[in-house]
Amino acid sequence: MPPWVRTVLLQWLPWFLRMGRPGKKITRKSIQMNNRMRELELKERSSRSLLANVLDIDDDFRQTANSTSYLRVPPGVDDTSASGHSCLGVHRELSLILKEVRFVTNKMRKNDDAQEVIMDWKFAAMVVDRVCLIVFSLFTIISTCVCLLSAPHLIA
């Protein structure tokens, strides 16, 4: 939806017609606040949730040489080789888990965005419907008054 259509159909016309979205009250102050928030969102794209913050972390799960390993090593097995192989397995599993979490969050984000677009278009249709009702009603009332007042024998 182009920005001017969004501004006209979703903000100013509903405010002028005294319409409201379910869960949102449309006032002049809220319109100005939405415009400021949109400007801030364009300037700074910060993450919206804890899960998004998790996805922004560095993907490097490798342990450094001086870090301690919390994996159990069976007795009689060389400590350095076991922790190296275990670390690679853990790294692989963590990267697979991270890949799945990213997939799920991207899918949820796309669904939320698509649902928001659908709701915007539904509300825009309600606004256009209300405008058409008002125009039709005014046209009908004015046409009726003109027809009645132009009749020659109405008032006798």
PDB file of all heavy atoms in Angstrom, residues 1-38:
ATOM      1  N   MET A   1       0.855  -1.172   0.000  1.00  0.00           N
ATOM      2  CA  MET A   1       0.000   0.000   0.000  1.00  0.00           C
ATOM      3  C   MET A   1       0.899   1.233   0.000  1.00  0.00           C
ATOM      4  O   MET A   1       1.759   1.360   0.867  1.00  0.00           O
ATOM      5  CB  MET A   1      -0.897  -0.043   1.241  1.00  0.00           C
ATOM      6  CG  MET A   1      -1.859   1.087   1.348  1.00  0.00           C
ATOM      7  SD  MET A   1      -2.954   1.028   2.796  1.00  0.00           S
ATOM      8  CE  MET A   1      -3.873  -0.445   2.534  1.00  0.00           C
ATOM      9  N   PRO A   2       0.709   2.139  -0.960  1.00  0.00           N
ATOM     10  CA  PRO A   2       1.532   3.350  -0.997  1.00  0.00           C
ATOM     11  C   PRO A   2       1.321   4.204   0.253  1.00  0.00           C
ATOM     12  O   PRO A   2       0.250   4.184   0.867  1.00  0.00           O
ATOM     13  CB  PRO A   2       1.019   4.087  -2.235  1.00  0.00           C
ATOM     14  CG  PRO A   2       0.334   3.055  -3.059  1.00  0.00           C
ATOM     15  CD  PRO A   2      -0.174   2.019  -2.110  1.00  0.00           C
ATOM     16  N   PRO A   3       2.350   4.961   0.626  1.00  0.00           N
ATOM     17  CA  PRO A   3       2.233   5.771   1.861  1.00  0.00           C
ATOM     18  C   PRO A   3       1.104   6.794   1.815  1.00  0.00           C
ATOM     19  O   PRO A   3       0.441   7.024   2.829  1.00  0.00           O
ATOM     20  CB  PRO A   3       3.592   6.460   1.964  1.00  0.00           C
ATOM     21  CG  PRO A   3       4.512   5.681   1.104  1.00  0.00           C
ATOM     22  CD  PRO A   3       3.687   5.022   0.051  1.00  0.00           C
ATOM     23  N   TRP A   4       0.841   7.397   0.651  1.00  0.00           N
ATOM     24  CA  TRP A   4      -0.219   8.407   0.605  1.00  0.00           C
ATOM     25  C   TRP A   4      -1.588   7.750   0.769  1.00  0.00           C
ATOM     26  O   TRP A   4      -2.489   8.331   1.388  1.00  0.00           O
ATOM     27  CB  TRP A   4      -0.140   9.231  -0.673  1.00  0.00           C
ATOM     28  CG  TRP A   4      -0.500   8.469  -1.922  1.00  0.00           C
ATOM     29  CD1 TRP A   4       0.344   7.758  -2.721  1.00  0.00           C
ATOM     30  CD2 TRP A   4      -1.803   8.343  -2.492  1.00  0.00           C
ATOM     31  NE1 TRP A   4      -0.350   7.190  -3.749  1.00  0.00           N
ATOM     32  CE2 TRP A   4      -1.666   7.537  -3.643  1.00  0.00           C
ATOM     33  CE3 TRP A   4      -3.054   8.822  -2.149  1.00  0.00           C
ATOM     34  CZ2 TRP A   4      -2.747   7.201  -4.445  1.00  0.00           C
ATOM     35  CZ3 TRP A   4      -4.129   8.484  -2.954  1.00  0.00           C
ATOM     36  CH2 TRP A   4      -3.967   7.689  -4.087  1.00  0.00           C
ATOM     37  N   VAL A   5      -1.761   6.536   0.239  1.00  0.00           N
ATOM     38  CA  VAL A   5      -3.028   5.823   0.415  1.00  0.00           C
ATOM     39  C   VAL A   5      -3.205   5.446   1.878  1.00  0.00           C
ATOM     40  O   VAL A   5      -4.293   5.577   2.439  1.00  0.00           O
ATOM     41  CB  VAL A   5      -3.066   4.566  -0.489  1.00  0.00           C
ATOM     42  CG1 VAL A   5      -4.296   3.729  -0.200  1.00  0.00           C
ATOM     43  CG2 VAL A   5      -3.036   4.965  -1.949  1.00  0.00           C
ATOM     44  N   ARG A   6      -2.117   4.992   2.494  1.00  0.00           N
ATOM     45  CA  ARG A   6      -2.165   4.647   3.911  1.00  0.00           C
ATOM     46  C   ARG A   6      -2.539   5.879   4.743  1.00  0.00           C
ATOM     47  O   ARG A   6      -3.366   5.796   5.651  1.00  0.00           O
ATOM     48  CB  ARG A   6      -0.805   4.097   4.348  1.00  0.00           C
ATOM     49  CG  ARG A   6      -0.742   3.680   5.793  1.00  0.00           C
ATOM     50  CD  ARG A   6       0.613   3.133   6.150  1.00  0.00           C
ATOM     51  NE  ARG A   6       0.978   1.981   5.353  1.00  0.00           N
ATOM     52  CZ  ARG A   6       0.652   0.727   5.660  1.00  0.00           C
ATOM     53  NH1 ARG A   6      -0.021   0.481   6.760  1.00  0.00           N
ATOM     54  NH2 ARG A   6       1.021  -0.265   4.895  1.00  0.00           N
ATOM     55  N   THR A   7      -1.942   7.006   4.415  1.00  0.00           N
ATOM     56  CA  THR A   7      -2.220   8.233   5.174  1.00  0.00           C
ATOM     57  C   THR A   7      -3.665   8.678   4.986  1.00  0.00           C
ATOM     58  O   THR A   7      -4.340   9.018   5.959  1.00  0.00           O
ATOM     59  CB  THR A   7      -1.253   9.344   4.736  1.00  0.00           C
ATOM     60  OG1 THR A   7       0.088   8.895   4.920  1.00  0.00           O
ATOM     61  CG2 THR A   7      -1.475  10.611   5.546  1.00  0.00           C
ATOM     62  N   VAL A   8      -4.146   8.651   3.745  1.00  0.00           N
ATOM     63  CA  VAL A   8      -5.499   9.146   3.474  1.00  0.00           C
ATOM     64  C   VAL A   8      -6.563   8.157   3.959  1.00  0.00           C
ATOM     65  O   VAL A   8      -7.478   8.543   4.694  1.00  0.00           O
ATOM     66  CB  VAL A   8      -5.678   9.441   1.959  1.00  0.00           C
ATOM     67  CG1 VAL A   8      -7.124   9.738   1.626  1.00  0.00           C
ATOM     68  CG2 VAL A   8      -4.795  10.600   1.546  1.00  0.00           C
ATOM     69  N   LEU A   9      -6.444   6.886   3.554  1.00  0.00           N
ATOM     70  CA  LEU A   9      -7.506   5.918   3.848  1.00  0.00           C
ATOM     71  C   LEU A   9      -7.453   5.341   5.251  1.00  0.00           C
ATOM     72  O   LEU A   9      -8.478   4.893   5.775  1.00  0.00           O
ATOM     73  CB  LEU A   9      -7.459   4.767   2.839  1.00  0.00           C
ATOM     74  CG  LEU A   9      -7.909   5.089   1.424  1.00  0.00           C
ATOM     75  CD1 LEU A   9      -7.822   3.852   0.555  1.00  0.00           C
ATOM     76  CD2 LEU A   9      -9.312   5.648   1.404  1.00  0.00           C
ATOM     77  N   LEU A  10      -6.283   5.310   5.858  1.00  0.00           N
ATOM     78  CA  LEU A  10      -6.186   4.671   7.170  1.00  0.00           C
ATOM     79  C   LEU A  10      -6.053   5.661   8.314  1.00  0.00           C
ATOM     80  O   LEU A  10      -6.172   5.260   9.475  1.00  0.00           O
ATOM     81  CB  LEU A  10      -5.005   3.695   7.199  1.00  0.00           C
ATOM     82  CG  LEU A  10      -5.071   2.536   6.214  1.00  0.00           C
ATOM     83  CD1 LEU A  10      -3.855   1.652   6.369  1.00  0.00           C
ATOM     84  CD2 LEU A  10      -6.341   1.741   6.377  1.00  0.00           C
ATOM     85  N   GLN A  11      -5.791   6.937   7.992  1.00  0.00           N
ATOM     86  CA  GLN A  11      -5.619   7.894   9.078  1.00  0.00           C
ATOM     87  C   GLN A  11      -6.586   9.072   8.974  1.00  0.00           C
ATOM     88  O   GLN A  11      -7.406   9.265   9.864  1.00  0.00           O
ATOM     89  CB  GLN A  11      -4.176   8.399   9.108  1.00  0.00           C
ATOM     90  CG  GLN A  11      -3.191   7.331   9.512  1.00  0.00           C
ATOM     91  CD  GLN A  11      -1.763   7.839   9.509  1.00  0.00           C
ATOM     92  OE1 GLN A  11      -1.471   8.923   9.010  1.00  0.00           O
ATOM     93  NE2 GLN A  11      -0.871   7.048  10.050  1.00  0.00           N
ATOM     94  N   TRP A  12      -6.485   9.864   7.886  1.00  0.00           N
ATOM     95  CA  TRP A  12      -7.239  11.114   7.854  1.00  0.00           C
ATOM     96  C   TRP A  12      -8.720  10.924   7.568  1.00  0.00           C
ATOM     97  O   TRP A  12      -9.561  11.542   8.240  1.00  0.00           O
ATOM     98  CB  TRP A  12      -6.610  12.092   6.859  1.00  0.00           C
ATOM     99  CG  TRP A  12      -5.288  12.566   7.351  1.00  0.00           C
ATOM    100  CD1 TRP A  12      -4.066  12.225   6.879  1.00  0.00           C
ATOM    101  CD2 TRP A  12      -5.054  13.422   8.470  1.00  0.00           C
ATOM    102  NE1 TRP A  12      -3.081  12.819   7.620  1.00  0.00           N
ATOM    103  CE2 TRP A  12      -3.652  13.571   8.607  1.00  0.00           C
ATOM    104  CE3 TRP A  12      -5.873  14.083   9.377  1.00  0.00           C
ATOM    105  CZ2 TRP A  12      -3.082  14.340   9.600  1.00  0.00           C
ATOM    106  CZ3 TRP A  12      -5.301  14.855  10.357  1.00  0.00           C
ATOM    107  CH2 TRP A  12      -3.919  14.972  10.461  1.00  0.00           C
ATOM    108  N   LEU A  13      -9.106  10.128   6.589  1.00  0.00           N
ATOM    109  CA  LEU A  13     -10.537   9.913   6.334  1.00  0.00           C
ATOM    110  C   LEU A  13     -11.248   9.251   7.516  1.00  0.00           C
ATOM    111  O   LEU A  13     -12.338   9.699   7.890  1.00  0.00           O
ATOM    112  CB  LEU A  13     -10.733   9.088   5.059  1.00  0.00           C
ATOM    113  CG  LEU A  13     -10.865   9.884   3.766  1.00  0.00           C
ATOM    114  CD1 LEU A  13     -11.012   8.953   2.574  1.00  0.00           C
ATOM    115  CD2 LEU A  13     -12.020  10.843   3.824  1.00  0.00           C
ATOM    116  N   PRO A  14     -10.678   8.213   8.132  1.00  0.00           N
ATOM    117  CA  PRO A  14     -11.366   7.657   9.314  1.00  0.00           C
ATOM    118  C   PRO A  14     -11.488   8.677  10.448  1.00  0.00           C
ATOM    119  O   PRO A  14     -12.500   8.697  11.153  1.00  0.00           O
ATOM    120  CB  PRO A  14     -10.475   6.485   9.737  1.00  0.00           C
ATOM    121  CG  PRO A  14      -9.722   6.108   8.526  1.00  0.00           C
ATOM    122  CD  PRO A  14      -9.553   7.367   7.744  1.00  0.00           C
ATOM    123  N   TRP A  15     -10.471   9.520  10.613  1.00  0.00           N
ATOM    124  CA  TRP A  15     -10.557  10.547  11.648  1.00  0.00           C
ATOM    125  C   TRP A  15     -11.661  11.538  11.307  1.00  0.00           C
ATOM    126  O   TRP A  15     -12.454  11.915  12.170  1.00  0.00           O
ATOM    127  CB  TRP A  15      -9.212  11.271  11.768  1.00  0.00           C
ATOM    128  CG  TRP A  15      -9.267  12.429  12.704  1.00  0.00           C
ATOM    129  CD1 TRP A  15      -9.307  12.400  14.062  1.00  0.00           C
ATOM    130  CD2 TRP A  15      -9.312  13.812  12.333  1.00  0.00           C
ATOM    131  NE1 TRP A  15      -9.366  13.677  14.561  1.00  0.00           N
ATOM    132  CE2 TRP A  15      -9.367  14.565  13.517  1.00  0.00           C
ATOM    133  CE3 TRP A  15      -9.300  14.475  11.112  1.00  0.00           C
ATOM    134  CZ2 TRP A  15      -9.414  15.952  13.507  1.00  0.00           C
ATOM    135  CZ3 TRP A  15      -9.344  15.858  11.114  1.00  0.00           C
ATOM    136  CH2 TRP A  15      -9.402  16.575  12.308  1.00  0.00           C
ATOM    137  N   PHE A  16     -11.756  11.956  10.040  1.00  0.00           N
ATOM    138  CA  PHE A  16     -12.780  12.900   9.617  1.00  0.00           C
ATOM    139  C   PHE A  16     -14.177  12.298   9.730  1.00  0.00           C
ATOM    140  O   PHE A  16     -15.127  12.986  10.113  1.00  0.00           O
ATOM    141  CB  PHE A  16     -12.503  13.348   8.172  1.00  0.00           C
ATOM    142  CG  PHE A  16     -13.481  14.349   7.653  1.00  0.00           C
ATOM    143  CD1 PHE A  16     -13.451  15.657   8.099  1.00  0.00           C
ATOM    144  CD2 PHE A  16     -14.444  13.978   6.725  1.00  0.00           C
ATOM    145  CE1 PHE A  16     -14.360  16.592   7.629  1.00  0.00           C
ATOM    146  CE2 PHE A  16     -15.352  14.906   6.252  1.00  0.00           C
ATOM    147  CZ  PHE A  16     -15.309  16.209   6.704  1.00  0.00           C
ATOM    148  N   LEU A  17     -14.309  11.003   9.428  1.00  0.00           N
ATOM    149  CA  LEU A  17     -15.605  10.332   9.493  1.00  0.00           C
ATOM    150  C   LEU A  17     -15.922   9.784  10.878  1.00  0.00           C
ATOM    151  O   LEU A  17     -16.940   9.129  11.074  1.00  0.00           O
ATOM    152  CB  LEU A  17     -15.646   9.182   8.471  1.00  0.00           C
ATOM    153  CG  LEU A  17     -15.519   9.585   7.004  1.00  0.00           C
ATOM    154  CD1 LEU A  17     -15.393   8.345   6.136  1.00  0.00           C
ATOM    155  CD2 LEU A  17     -16.704  10.423   6.590  1.00  0.00           C
ATOM    156  N   ARG A  18     -15.037   9.999  11.833  1.00  0.00           N
ATOM    157  CA  ARG A  18     -15.193   9.527  13.208  1.00  0.00           C
ATOM    158  C   ARG A  18     -15.291   7.997  13.282  1.00  0.00           C
ATOM    159  O   ARG A  18     -16.082   7.436  14.036  1.00  0.00           O
ATOM    160  CB  ARG A  18     -16.413  10.147  13.879  1.00  0.00           C
ATOM    161  CG  ARG A  18     -16.417  11.646  13.924  1.00  0.00           C
ATOM    162  CD  ARG A  18     -15.401  12.136  14.916  1.00  0.00           C
ATOM    163  NE  ARG A  18     -15.498  13.581  15.063  1.00  0.00           N
ATOM    164  CZ  ARG A  18     -14.456  14.386  14.987  1.00  0.00           C
ATOM    165  NH1 ARG A  18     -13.270  13.891  14.784  1.00  0.00           N
ATOM    166  NH2 ARG A  18     -14.591  15.670  15.118  1.00  0.00           N
ATOM    167  N   MET A  19     -14.488   7.340  12.459  1.00  0.00           N
ATOM    168  CA  MET A  19     -14.446   5.881  12.476  1.00  0.00           C
ATOM    169  C   MET A  19     -13.297   5.434  13.363  1.00  0.00           C
ATOM    170  O   MET A  19     -12.358   6.177  13.603  1.00  0.00           O
ATOM    171  CB  MET A  19     -14.224   5.326  11.058  1.00  0.00           C
ATOM    172  CG  MET A  19     -15.377   5.565  10.120  1.00  0.00           C
ATOM    173  SD  MET A  19     -15.039   4.953   8.474  1.00  0.00           S
ATOM    174  CE  MET A  19     -15.021   3.203   8.758  1.00  0.00           C
ATOM    175  N   GLY A  20     -13.371   4.210  13.818  1.00  0.00           N
ATOM    176  CA  GLY A  20     -12.300   3.663  14.630  1.00  0.00           C
ATOM    177  C   GLY A  20     -12.010   2.224  14.252  1.00  0.00           C
ATOM    178  O   GLY A  20     -12.905   1.488  13.863  1.00  0.00           O
ATOM    179  N   ARG A  21     -10.755   1.869  14.370  1.00  0.00           N
ATOM    180  CA  ARG A  21     -10.364   0.483  14.145  1.00  0.00           C
ATOM    181  C   ARG A  21     -10.594  -0.291  15.421  1.00  0.00           C
ATOM    182  O   ARG A  21     -10.475   0.256  16.512  1.00  0.00           O
ATOM    183  CB  ARG A  21      -8.884   0.403  13.797  1.00  0.00           C
ATOM    184  CG  ARG A  21      -8.586   0.710  12.375  1.00  0.00           C
ATOM    185  CD  ARG A  21      -7.131   0.565  12.144  1.00  0.00           C
ATOM    186  NE  ARG A  21      -6.881  -0.677  11.435  1.00  0.00           N
ATOM    187  CZ  ARG A  21      -5.910  -0.827  10.574  1.00  0.00           C
ATOM    188  NH1 ARG A  21      -5.077   0.143  10.336  1.00  0.00           N
ATOM    189  NH2 ARG A  21      -5.759  -1.961   9.961  1.00  0.00           N
ATOM    190  N   PRO A  22     -10.885  -1.571  15.300  1.00  0.00           N
ATOM    191  CA  PRO A  22     -11.010  -2.375  16.522  1.00  0.00           C
ATOM    192  C   PRO A  22      -9.692  -2.394  17.286  1.00  0.00           C
ATOM    193  O   PRO A  22      -8.648  -2.760  16.757  1.00  0.00           O
ATOM    194  CB  PRO A  22     -11.354  -3.769  15.992  1.00  0.00           C
ATOM    195  CG  PRO A  22     -11.901  -3.548  14.618  1.00  0.00           C
ATOM    196  CD  PRO A  22     -11.229  -2.320  14.106  1.00  0.00           C
ATOM    197  N   GLY A  23      -9.742  -1.937  18.502  1.00  0.00           N
ATOM    198  CA  GLY A  23      -8.541  -1.921  19.340  1.00  0.00           C
ATOM    199  C   GLY A  23      -7.713  -0.662  19.219  1.00  0.00           C
ATOM    200  O   GLY A  23      -6.760  -0.475  19.956  1.00  0.00           O
ATOM    201  N   LYS A  24      -8.041   0.206  18.287  1.00  0.00           N
ATOM    202  CA  LYS A  24      -7.277   1.444  18.107  1.00  0.00           C
ATOM    203  C   LYS A  24      -8.237   2.611  17.985  1.00  0.00           C
ATOM    204  O   LYS A  24      -9.208   2.563  17.241  1.00  0.00           O
ATOM    205  CB  LYS A  24      -6.430   1.389  16.829  1.00  0.00           C
ATOM    206  CG  LYS A  24      -5.350   0.347  16.845  1.00  0.00           C
ATOM    207  CD  LYS A  24      -4.567   0.397  15.550  1.00  0.00           C
ATOM    208  CE  LYS A  24      -3.506  -0.676  15.510  1.00  0.00           C
ATOM    209  NZ  LYS A  24      -2.785  -0.676  14.224  1.00  0.00           N
ATOM    210  N   LYS A  25      -7.953   3.661  18.712  1.00  0.00           N
ATOM    211  CA  LYS A  25      -8.748   4.865  18.616  1.00  0.00           C
ATOM    212  C   LYS A  25      -8.007   5.845  17.714  1.00  0.00           C
ATOM    213  O   LYS A  25      -6.811   6.067  17.885  1.00  0.00           O
ATOM    214  CB  LYS A  25      -8.967   5.465  20.004  1.00  0.00           C
ATOM    215  CG  LYS A  25      -9.960   6.584  20.021  1.00  0.00           C
ATOM    216  CD  LYS A  25     -10.289   7.005  21.420  1.00  0.00           C
ATOM    217  CE  LYS A  25     -11.374   8.056  21.376  1.00  0.00           C
ATOM    218  NZ  LYS A  25     -11.735   8.488  22.711  1.00  0.00           N
ATOM    219  N   ILE A  26      -8.704   6.410  16.746  1.00  0.00           N
ATOM    220  CA  ILE A  26      -8.070   7.308  15.790  1.00  0.00           C
ATOM    221  C   ILE A  26      -8.394   8.743  16.191  1.00  0.00           C
ATOM    222  O   ILE A  26      -9.539   9.189  16.098  1.00  0.00           O
ATOM    223  CB  ILE A  26      -8.553   7.011  14.361  1.00  0.00           C
ATOM    224  CG1 ILE A  26      -8.177   5.584  13.978  1.00  0.00           C
ATOM    225  CG2 ILE A  26      -7.937   7.987  13.377  1.00  0.00           C
ATOM    226  CD1 ILE A  26      -8.694   5.139  12.635  1.00  0.00           C
ATOM    227  N   THR A  27      -7.367   9.422  16.658  1.00  0.00           N
ATOM    228  CA  THR A  27      -7.480  10.841  16.978  1.00  0.00           C
ATOM    229  C   THR A  27      -6.359  11.577  16.252  1.00  0.00           C
ATOM    230  O   THR A  27      -5.445  10.962  15.696  1.00  0.00           O
ATOM    231  CB  THR A  27      -7.344  11.083  18.494  1.00  0.00           C
ATOM    232  OG1 THR A  27      -6.057  10.640  18.914  1.00  0.00           O
ATOM    233  CG2 THR A  27      -8.426  10.354  19.279  1.00  0.00           C
ATOM    234  N   ARG A  28      -6.440  12.886  16.275  1.00  0.00           N
ATOM    235  CA  ARG A  28      -5.392  13.668  15.614  1.00  0.00           C
ATOM    236  C   ARG A  28      -4.042  13.427  16.280  1.00  0.00           C
ATOM    237  O   ARG A  28      -3.011  13.325  15.620  1.00  0.00           O
ATOM    238  CB  ARG A  28      -5.765  15.144  15.664  1.00  0.00           C
ATOM    239  CG  ARG A  28      -4.846  16.000  14.875  1.00  0.00           C
ATOM    240  CD  ARG A  28      -5.314  17.433  14.855  1.00  0.00           C
ATOM    241  NE  ARG A  28      -4.406  18.192  14.025  1.00  0.00           N
ATOM    242  CZ  ARG A  28      -4.735  19.256  13.393  1.00  0.00           C
ATOM    243  NH1 ARG A  28      -5.963  19.708  13.481  1.00  0.00           N
ATOM    244  NH2 ARG A  28      -3.859  19.899  12.665  1.00  0.00           N
ATOM    245  N   LYS A  29      -4.062  13.307  17.586  1.00  0.00           N
ATOM    246  CA  LYS A  29      -2.825  13.055  18.327  1.00  0.00           C
ATOM    247  C   LYS A  29      -2.240  11.685  17.969  1.00  0.00           C
ATOM    248  O   LYS A  29      -1.024  11.545  17.807  1.00  0.00           O
ATOM    249  CB  LYS A  29      -3.101  13.146  19.827  1.00  0.00           C
ATOM    250  CG  LYS A  29      -1.873  13.150  20.682  1.00  0.00           C
ATOM    251  CD  LYS A  29      -2.239  13.410  22.129  1.00  0.00           C
ATOM    252  CE  LYS A  29      -0.995  13.514  22.985  1.00  0.00           C
ATOM    253  NZ  LYS A  29      -1.299  13.859  24.358  1.00  0.00           N
ATOM    254  N   SER A  30      -3.109  10.674  17.844  1.00  0.00           N
ATOM    255  CA  SER A  30      -2.607   9.341  17.491  1.00  0.00           C
ATOM    256  C   SER A  30      -2.058   9.314  16.062  1.00  0.00           C
ATOM    257  O   SER A  30      -1.090   8.599  15.781  1.00  0.00           O
ATOM    258  CB  SER A  30      -3.702   8.290  17.658  1.00  0.00           C
ATOM    259  OG  SER A  30      -4.710   8.450  16.689  1.00  0.00           O
ATOM    260  N   ILE A  31      -2.653  10.086  15.157  1.00  0.00           N
ATOM    261  CA  ILE A  31      -2.132  10.161  13.783  1.00  0.00           C
ATOM    262  C   ILE A  31      -0.740  10.768  13.777  1.00  0.00           C
ATOM    263  O   ILE A  31       0.181  10.254  13.131  1.00  0.00           O
ATOM    264  CB  ILE A  31      -3.102  10.975  12.894  1.00  0.00           C
ATOM    265  CG1 ILE A  31      -4.404  10.211  12.703  1.00  0.00           C
ATOM    266  CG2 ILE A  31      -2.464  11.279  11.540  1.00  0.00           C
ATOM    267  CD1 ILE A  31      -5.486  11.011  12.017  1.00  0.00           C
ATOM    268  N   GLN A  32      -0.566  11.858  14.514  1.00  0.00           N
ATOM    269  CA  GLN A  32       0.755  12.485  14.587  1.00  0.00           C
ATOM    270  C   GLN A  32       1.756  11.560  15.261  1.00  0.00           C
ATOM    271  O   GLN A  32       2.922  11.475  14.840  1.00  0.00           O
ATOM    272  CB  GLN A  32       0.661  13.817  15.326  1.00  0.00           C
ATOM    273  CG  GLN A  32      -0.110  14.861  14.555  1.00  0.00           C
ATOM    274  CD  GLN A  32      -0.378  16.120  15.370  1.00  0.00           C
ATOM    275  OE1 GLN A  32      -0.195  16.120  16.581  1.00  0.00           O
ATOM    276  NE2 GLN A  32      -0.827  17.172  14.699  1.00  0.00           N
ATOM    277  N   MET A  33       1.332  10.851  16.286  1.00  0.00           N
ATOM    278  CA  MET A  33       2.229   9.922  16.974  1.00  0.00           C
ATOM    279  C   MET A  33       2.636   8.773  16.046  1.00  0.00           C
ATOM    280  O   MET A  33       3.798   8.368  16.033  1.00  0.00           O
ATOM    281  CB  MET A  33       1.551   9.368  18.223  1.00  0.00           C
ATOM    282  CG  MET A  33       2.474   8.539  19.068  1.00  0.00           C
ATOM    283  SD  MET A  33       3.798   9.501  19.797  1.00  0.00           S
ATOM    284  CE  MET A  33       2.935  10.227  21.146  1.00  0.00           C
ATOM    285  N   ASN A  34       1.689   8.258  15.250  1.00  0.00           N
ATOM    286  CA  ASN A  34       2.017   7.194  14.292  1.00  0.00           C
ATOM    287  C   ASN A  34       3.019   7.670  13.255  1.00  0.00           C
ATOM    288  O   ASN A  34       3.926   6.924  12.875  1.00  0.00           O
ATOM    289  CB  ASN A  34       0.750   6.690  13.590  1.00  0.00           C
ATOM    290  CG  ASN A  34      -0.080   5.802  14.481  1.00  0.00           C
ATOM    291  OD1 ASN A  34       0.414   5.262  15.455  1.00  0.00           O
ATOM    292  ND2 ASN A  34      -1.347   5.665  14.144  1.00  0.00           N
ATOM    293  N   ASN A  35       2.866   8.908  12.799  1.00  0.00           N
ATOM    294  CA  ASN A  35       3.828   9.450  11.830  1.00  0.00           C
ATOM    295  C   ASN A  35       5.215   9.573  12.445  1.00  0.00           C
ATOM    296  O   ASN A  35       6.222   9.262  11.804  1.00  0.00           O
ATOM    297  CB  ASN A  35       3.361  10.804  11.304  1.00  0.00           C
ATOM    298  CG  ASN A  35       2.141  10.663  10.416  1.00  0.00           C
ATOM    299  OD1 ASN A  35       1.900   9.605   9.855  1.00  0.00           O
ATOM    300  ND2 ASN A  35       1.374  11.727  10.311  1.00  0.00           N
ATOM    301  N   ARG A  36       5.296  10.008  13.687  1.00  0.00           N
ATOM    302  CA  ARG A  36       6.601  10.101  14.361  1.00  0.00           C
ATOM    303  C   ARG A  36       7.212   8.725  14.573  1.00  0.00           C
ATOM    304  O   ARG A  36       8.415   8.542  14.391  1.00  0.00           O
ATOM    305  CB  ARG A  36       6.448  10.797  15.710  1.00  0.00           C
ATOM    306  CG  ARG A  36       6.229  12.270  15.599  1.00  0.00           C
ATOM    307  CD  ARG A  36       6.242  12.919  16.961  1.00  0.00           C
ATOM    308  NE  ARG A  36       5.621  14.222  16.892  1.00  0.00           N
ATOM    309  CZ  ARG A  36       4.835  14.736  17.794  1.00  0.00           C
ATOM    310  NH1 ARG A  36       4.559  14.053  18.900  1.00  0.00           N
ATOM    311  NH2 ARG A  36       4.311  15.925  17.648  1.00  0.00           N
ATOM    312  N   MET A  37       6.377   7.766  14.957  1.00  0.00           N
ATOM    313  CA  MET A  37       6.885   6.409  15.164  1.00  0.00           C
ATOM    314  C   MET A  37       7.392   5.803  13.857  1.00  0.00           C
ATOM    315  O   MET A  37       8.405   5.118  13.844  1.00  0.00           O
ATOM    316  CB  MET A  37       5.794   5.513  15.758  1.00  0.00           C
ATOM    317  CG  MET A  37       5.419   5.865  17.179  1.00  0.00           C
ATOM    318  SD  MET A  37       6.798   5.700  18.312  1.00  0.00           S
ATOM    319  CE  MET A  37       6.963   3.947  18.334  1.00  0.00           C
ATOM    320  N   ARG A  38       6.709   6.060  12.763  1.00  0.00           N
ATOM    321  CA  ARG A  38       7.147   5.546  11.466  1.00  0.00           C
ATOM    322  C   ARG A  38       8.489   6.148  11.079  1.00  0.00           C
ATOM    323  O   ARG A  38       9.366   5.463  10.558  1.00  0.00           O
ATOM    324  CB  ARG A  38       6.104   5.850  10.400  1.00  0.00           C
ATOM    325  CG  ARG A  38       6.345   5.078   9.115  1.00  0.00           C
ATOM    326  CD  ARG A  38       5.257   5.250   8.081  1.00  0.00           C
ATOM    327  NE  ARG A  38       3.952   4.900   8.592  1.00  0.00           N
ATOM    328  CZ  ARG A  38       2.905   5.724   8.573  1.00  0.00           C
ATOM    329  NH1 ARG A  38       3.014   6.926   8.084  1.00  0.00           N
ATOM    330  NH2 ARG A  38       1.748   5.334   9.046  1.00  0.00           N
TER     331      ARG A  38
END
